[in-house]
């Protein structure tokens, strides 16, 4: 990279970074954004490399800030088409760790086991590296879908002796399991400042296990694992295969439970539905309390958006935008919050007001991914009810205008609302040829422009089908 280009990139980064600082607050910014180093722009594909010092921080930043960083760079530099967040080659800057007897661990010191094994109260690196400071109970919004899981999590963190262990949090992706795991960690640390806690994903656990095995470090690995007061293991569904790693986890669970330690697992499915997990481990995972996190309903989605918005005060977002986001981004909370963040970031970076139009314009990817899958059968049923004709007319050969037009409208809606091809649509309408469907789609498009009644009918049908 030429010197002048490096200077320009540094200047742009300084502006972007400052904007994000205002947005995210000092703590999050200095922890996650400040350490980013900007690489060069690949002239061929427009990719800009952003480097972080550790794998953990790279993953964290990628998960939370990728869209924002990409958007900010796209606005700052027209030639940037995407950003690629990765670990800086050859750099791993986690604190150097020592085993209890003063020796250094034999591996590179960046291992999750080693990191989490530090004395939290002294080094403070569990709270600054392992746990996301923003994922607390205070920031977790409850509703019918998650209140039981949240109560169970609070109890796991607060009481002197846990009434149940392990706690197993079950819920679909993006519904707040990781958030609760981190919140338990924070609350537990607050109640027991010198506690030893360990947070990792099951995948990470497997990697650590294999590394320890290869490096002849199993004694230290086992000792570390058994030394924790609170063990938080995320995404346990990934603990598949590797019988020896599963066995080690099983022994760890037994050892920690025997000492009344706390264990929390999170997964996207019930223990019994975990694939490739040996029965003894399954029985340990389900022997405590299995708490379900259901998909958030619209009320909870709105409450979460409002709570996230309070961080951006005094910026306000019109109520119709909140309503729109909560109503349309239904798949999970991660996308919902991501959508809000993206919208606000875009509005701030371009100096525009947050509005319904802007939301519809800027969130097309998220919105289309969330759009309910409408079937051709559903379309045919709705159209027949609307025009009061028999369902069989959708496939019949009758050419009376009273049935031809509704059939054409249904074909048009099938093209607009489903990913089906013209021939596929034709087959669903009594085996008609694809050219018939193309003709119907063009005709209705044309009629919508010329005939207000037809346009009104189609709008009304669209509303019914998309509600
Ligand atoms: N009830 C809630 N209140 C506030 N924020 C929430 C809530 N539920 C989820 N979130 C937010 O949604 C995002 C996704 O949540 P999280 O990462 O905890 O999901 P997850 O269930 O662990 O997903 P995955 O299975 O994909 O790991 C996070 O930013 C989290 O803070």
């Amino acid at each position: 990279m030429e010197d002048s280009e490096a200077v320009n990139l540094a200047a742009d980064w300084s502006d972007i970074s400052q904007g994000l600082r205002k947005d995210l607050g000092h703590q999050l910014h200095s922890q996650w954004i400040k350490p980013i180093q900007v690489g060069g722009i690949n002239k061929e594909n427009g990719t800009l490399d952003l480097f972080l010092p550790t794998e953990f921080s790279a993953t964290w930043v990628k998960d939370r800030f990728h869209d924002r960083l990409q958007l900010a760079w796209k606005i700052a530099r027209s030639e940037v088409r995407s950003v690629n967040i990765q670990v800086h080659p050859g750099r791993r800057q986690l604190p150097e760790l020592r085993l209890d007897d003063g020796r250094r661990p034999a591996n590179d010191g960046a291992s999750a086991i080693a990191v989490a094994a530090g004395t939290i109260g002294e080094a403070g690196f569990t709270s600054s590296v392992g746990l996301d400071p923003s994922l607390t109970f205070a920031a977790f919004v409850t509703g019918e879908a998650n209140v039981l899981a949240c109560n169970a999590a609070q109890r796991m963190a607060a009481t002197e002796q846990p009434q149940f262990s392990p706690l197993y949090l079950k819920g679909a992706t993006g519904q707040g399991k990781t958030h609760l795991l981190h919140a338990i960690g924070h609350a537990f640390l607050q109640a027991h400042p010198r506690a030893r806690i360990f947070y990792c994903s099951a995948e990470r656990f497997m990697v650590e296990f294999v590394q320890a095995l290869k490096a002849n470090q199993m004694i230290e690995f086992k000792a570390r694992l058994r030394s924790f007061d609170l063990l938080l293991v995320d995404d346990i569904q990934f603990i598949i295969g590797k019988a020896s790693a599963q066995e080690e986890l099983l022994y760890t669970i037994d050892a920690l439970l025997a000492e009344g330690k706390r264990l929390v697992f999170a997964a996207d499915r019930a223990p019994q539905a975990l694939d490739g997990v040996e029965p003894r481990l399954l029985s340990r995972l389900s022997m405590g309390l299995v708490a379900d996190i259901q998909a958030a309903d619209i009320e909870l989605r709105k409450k979460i958006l409002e709570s996230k918005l309070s961080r951006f005060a005094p910026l306000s977002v019109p109520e119709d935008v909140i309503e729109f986001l909560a109503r349309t981004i239904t798949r999970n909370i991660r996308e919902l919050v991501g959508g809000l963040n993206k919208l606000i970031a875009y509005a701030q970076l371009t100096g525009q007001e947050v509005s319904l139009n802007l939301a519809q314009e800027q969130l097309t990817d998220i919105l289309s991914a969330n759009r309910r899958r409408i079937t051709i059968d559903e379309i045919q049923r709705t159209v027949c009810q609307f025009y009061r004709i028999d369902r069989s007319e959708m496939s019949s050969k009758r050419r009376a205008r009273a049935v031809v037009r509704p059939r054409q409208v249904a074909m048009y809606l099938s093209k607009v609302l489903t990913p089906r091809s013209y021939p596929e649509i034709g087959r669903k309408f009594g085996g008609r040829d694809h050219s018939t469907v193309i003709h119907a789609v063009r005709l209705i498009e044309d009629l919508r422009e010329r005939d207000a009644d037809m346009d009104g009918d189609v709008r009304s049908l669209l509303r019914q089908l998309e509600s």
Side-chain angles (χ1 to χ4, degrees):
M1 193 181 5
E2 287 182 17
D3 284 356
S4 59
E5 172 67 346
V7 170
N8 289 339
L9 281 174
D12 287 336
W13 175 231
S14 164
D15 289 347
I16 292 170
S17 172
Q18 274 179 25
L20 287 170
R21 185 161 190 250
K22 280 194 208 130
D23 222 11
L24 302 173
H26 170 72
Q27 201 183 4
L28 274 179
H29 177 268
S30 62
Q31 195 167 341
W32 303 107
I33 305 297
K34 222 165 136 197
I36 294 175
Q37 289 188 5
V38 180
I41 302 173
N42 180 325
K43 297 272 182 278
E44 273 166 29
N45 61 15
T47 301
L48 171 73
D49 288 323
L50 299 179
F51 297 111
L52 278 128
T54 65
E55 203 178 307
F56 182 86
S57 57
T59 308
W60 208 95
V61 168
K62 206 188 294 178
D63 285 352
R64 267 82 176 176
F65 302 126
H66 176 271
D67 284 0
R68 270 188 191 205
L69 286 163
Q70 184 159 289
L71 181 66
W73 273 106
K74 278 179 165 176
I75 291 168
R77 289 289 193 112
S78 56
E79 70 268 39
V80 172
R81 290 213 286 275
S82 63
V83 300
N84 179 25
I85 298 169
Q86 53 183 305
V87 191
H88 201 299
R91 267 179 204 241
R92 294 191 142 202
Q93 297 177 343
L94 288 175
E96 185 181 273
L97 294 157
R98 289 176 194 283
L99 299 170
D100 293 340
D101 60 5
R103 285 182 297 128
R104 277 193 213 165
N107 57 14
D108 66 7
S111 98
I113 294 288
V115 167
T119 307
I120 285 114
E122 284 163 22
F125 50 70
T126 293
S127 49
S128 65
V129 176
L131 297 178
D132 176 342
S134 67
L135 302 180
T136 59
F137 282 124
F140 192 81
V141 183
T142 53
E144 220 173 288
N146 59 17
V147 68
L148 285 177
C150 183
N151 285 347
Q154 276 171 329
R155 267 196 225 163
M156 180 53 102
T159 50
E160 274 315 305
Q161 261 307 311
Q163 293 160 329
F164 46 81
S165 190
L167 169 62
Y168 185 104
L169 297 170
K170 164 185 164 275
T173 186
Q175 297 291 355
K177 300 181 297 294
T178 302
H179 190 136
L180 281 181
L181 287 182
H182 285 244
I184 294 171
H186 289 303
F188 191 69
L189 265 182
Q190 214 164 24
H192 311 268
R194 297 189 64 80
R196 297 159 77 90
I197 71 171
F198 177 48
Y199 167 82
C200 75
S201 69
E203 217 172 0
R204 189 75 216 160
F205 176 88
M206 312 269 285
V207 171
E208 297 292 340
F209 174 81
V210 173
Q211 277 175 356
L213 204 62
K214 281 193 186 146
N216 239 343
Q217 289 280 306
M218 279 314 291
I219 292 174
E220 282 94 346
F221 181 84
K222 283 171 196 268
R224 285 278 164 229
L225 273 178
R226 286 159 178 63
S227 72
F228 297 114
D229 302 302
L230 171 63
L231 185 65
L232 305 160
V233 186
D234 211 348
D235 293 325
I236 194 76
Q237 70 269 16
F238 294 125
I239 187 110
I240 37 176
K242 280 269 169 289
S244 49
Q246 289 192 20
E247 198 157 304
E248 192 47 52
L249 182 59
L250 175 77
Y251 294 145
T252 304
I253 294 175
D254 284 347
L256 292 179
L257 287 181
E259 289 184 45
K261 304 285 184 63
R262 292 154 212 246
L263 299 159
V264 189
F265 299 98
D268 65 358
R269 62 200 79 168
Q272 303 75 15
L274 294 170
D275 300 321
V277 173
E278 73 140 308
R280 283 181 308 154
L281 180 53
L282 284 187
S283 84
R284 298 304 191 284
L285 293 174
S286 49
M287 68 188 271
L289 179 74
V290 178
D292 217 352
I293 305 182
Q294 310 276 350
D297 59 18
I298 181 154
E299 290 314 316
L300 180 55
R301 295 201 295 271
K302 271 201 249 177
K303 261 167 79 180
I304 291 173
L305 285 176
E306 275 149 14
S307 141
K308 301 282 174 192
L309 250 185
S310 60
R311 283 186 329 201
F312 294 102
L315 182 134
S316 72
V317 169
E319 223 163 86
D320 60 347
V321 176
I322 296 288
E323 176 77 30
F324 171 74
L325 296 180
R327 193 167 288 289
T328 43
I329 308 181
T330 55
R331 284 205 307 195
N332 66 59
I333 309 298
R334 181 178 294 116
E335 283 184 348
L336 181 70
V337 174
L340 177 74
N341 287 342
K342 187 172 172 189
L343 186 60
I344 291 178
Y346 188 85
Q348 286 182 337
L349 289 163
T350 58
Q352 295 183 57
E353 294 280 313
V354 177
S355 66
L356 203 50
N357 270 349
L358 196 68
Q360 277 161 337
E361 237 173 70
Q362 290 306 319
L363 302 180
T364 42
D365 289 357
I366 302 178
L367 295 176
S368 65
N370 275 273
R371 206 157 281 145
R372 197 167 58 84
R373 285 213 156 231
I374 298 170
T375 62
I376 294 181
D377 284 341
E378 215 176 328
I379 293 171
Q380 291 182 339
R381 201 175 334 113
T382 311
V383 169
C384 289
Q385 273 166 6
F386 186 82
Y387 288 108
R388 297 175 196 282
I389 59 171
D390 193 82
R391 182 74 193 279
S392 61
E393 300 295 6
M394 290 289 119
S395 317
S396 79
K397 303 282 176 226
R398 278 218 309 143
R399 301 178 64 90
R401 196 187 163 98
V403 296
V404 169
R405 201 56 100 228
R407 204 185 285 139
Q408 287 168 330
V409 168
M411 287 182 194
Y412 166 81
L413 291 171
S414 301
K415 191 65 206 150
V416 173
L417 297 175
T418 77
R420 303 279 161 231
S421 64
Y422 290 115
E424 282 172 318
I425 297 173
R427 278 197 288 280
K428 282 281 195 178
F429 285 81
R432 288 182 156 78
D433 190 72
H434 74 281
S435 58
T436 309
V437 185
I438 295 174
H439 170 73
V441 172
R442 290 200 183 136
L443 181 79
I444 301 299
E445 267 169 5
D446 188 42
L447 282 178
R448 282 191 72 182
E449 278 177 22
R450 291 189 286 112
D451 178 349
D453 287 344
M454 173 54 77
D455 189 48
D457 286 1
V458 173
R459 276 174 190 276
S460 161
L461 282 162
L462 280 169
R463 257 198 311 278
Q464 276 188 46
L465 285 160
E466 286 182 322
S467 66

